[in-house]
Amino acid sequence: MLAFARALGEFGATIMVAGNISGVTTTLSHRYLPARATGEDNHAWTLAGVSLALAFAALWTSEWLMRGRKH
């Protein structure tokens, strides 16, 4: 789960392996950079928020599942 949460923000490795084919291999981090570079700050903040929410949800779910196994 930690690797998944970390991978959400990975930019360099993803673009090297999968490329950045619009509509095919585009990830959240690949959509964030052009939005930020072109001044679409509201869109960039929305994408950053979605990425943060996904990472938080993944880590929270992992913790919740692990607590269930301990009992």
Side-chain angles (χ1 to χ4, degrees):
M1 280 297 157
L2 187 58
F4 172 76
R6 172 68 175 95
L8 284 173
E10 189 60 50
F11 183 81
T14 309
I15 207 164
M16 291 293 289
V17 173
N20 192 16
I21 303 167
S22 183
V24 178
T25 60
T26 303
T27 63
L28 271 173
S29 59
H30 290 147
R31 295 195 61 137
Y32 172 81
L33 185 64
R36 185 75 174 112
T38 58
E40 298 177 42
D41 290 339
N42 288 336
H43 186 61
W45 279 110
T46 301
L47 291 172
V50 168
S51 183
L52 179 66
L54 282 172
F56 181 76
L59 292 174
W60 182 83
T61 302
S62 174
E63 285 294 317
W64 181 71
L65 289 172
M66 292 305 289
R67 285 185 187 161
R69 287 186 178 179
K70 290 179 184 176
H71 297 296

